[in-house]
Amino acid sequence: MSKITELVAELAAPAIAAQGCQLWDIEYVREAGQWYLRLYLDKEGGVDIDDCEAVSRVVSDLLDEADPIEGSYVFEVSSAGAERPLKRPSDFAKFLGSPVLVKLYKARDGRKEFAGTLAGYEDGTILLTVGKETLSFPKNEVALCRLRIEF
């Protein structure tokens, strides 16, 4: 599946940039017997429905022309969201000092979720400040790390 997402990223990124947005992530997943191709966008000041519509129209035409995916699929374009997952080193660098939620595969100290401030990212290890303590979470233990909105 990564080849499809790489092909779509290569095809779509310039068109997305021309619309004033940037490509945050791509998913090509099978859900309930149907394939979905999802593009997640980011933009300074936030992505709105008009951005999603404009990108969807342009990229849909490009996908129809290039036809990089065999078979049918549902195409969706949306904002990466305020509580977006962080995946790449550049994501972690951009949001250093931000509130995040780290979810683990296996419980540590009886917990699978830790909320705190992103203190660092070194060689795949997430450093999280929780209270006065800095915790270290190696990549192989982390199921998900996403931004967290505080009210």
Side-chain angles (χ1 to χ4, degrees), residues 79-95:
S79 165
E83 292 191 328
R84 68 191 63 183
L86 305 180
K87 297 180 180 179
R88 299 170 294 272
S90 60
D91 299 346
F92 289 94
K94 181 177 181 177
F95 291 102

Side-chain angles (χ1 to χ4, degrees), residues 15-120:
I16 292 169
Q19 297 296 321
C21 298
Q22 71 181 77
L23 181 62
W24 180 262
D25 198 11
I26 296 179
E27 288 181 339
Y28 183 61
V29 295
R30 188 170 178 88
E31 295 176 0
Q34 176 69 45
W35 284 99
Y36 289 83
L37 176 64
R38 294 186 179 115
L39 274 57
Y40 295 98
L41 308 178
D42 194 19
K43 181 173 99 173
E44 192 68 37
V47 173
D48 62 26
I49 190 73
D50 294 330
D51 295 320
C52 293
E53 180 183 4
V55 167
S56 178
R57 290 178 190 271
V58 172
V59 174
S60 180
D61 289 345
L62 291 172
L63 291 170
D64 287 345
E65 273 182 42
D67 200 20
I69 301 172
E70 288 184 29
S72 65
Y73 58 93
V74 176
F75 179 56
E76 300 176 348
V77 177
S78 70
S79 165
E83 292 191 328
R84 68 191 63 183
L86 305 180
K87 297 180 180 179
R88 299 170 294 272
S90 60
D91 299 346
F92 289 94
K94 181 177 181 177
F95 291 102
L96 195 62
S98 298
V100 296
L101 177 71
V102 174
K103 293 185 178 186
L104 305 177
Y105 291 113
K106 294 180 183 177
R108 179 192 286 187
D109 299 326
R111 300 170 44 190
K112 288 180 85 172
E113 294 187 1
F114 293 83
T117 303
L118 181 60

Side-chain angles (χ1 to χ4, degrees), residues 86-89 92 102-106 108 121-127 136-145:
L86 305 180
K87 297 180 180 179
R88 299 170 294 272
F92 289 94
V102 174
K103 293 185 178 186
L104 305 177
Y105 291 113
K106 294 180 183 177
R108 179 192 286 187
Y121 184 78
E122 300 169 1
D123 299 321
T125 298
I126 297 169
L127 302 175
S136 176
F137 299 98
K139 183 179 184 174
N140 65 341
E141 293 179 11
V142 177
L144 173 72
C145 179

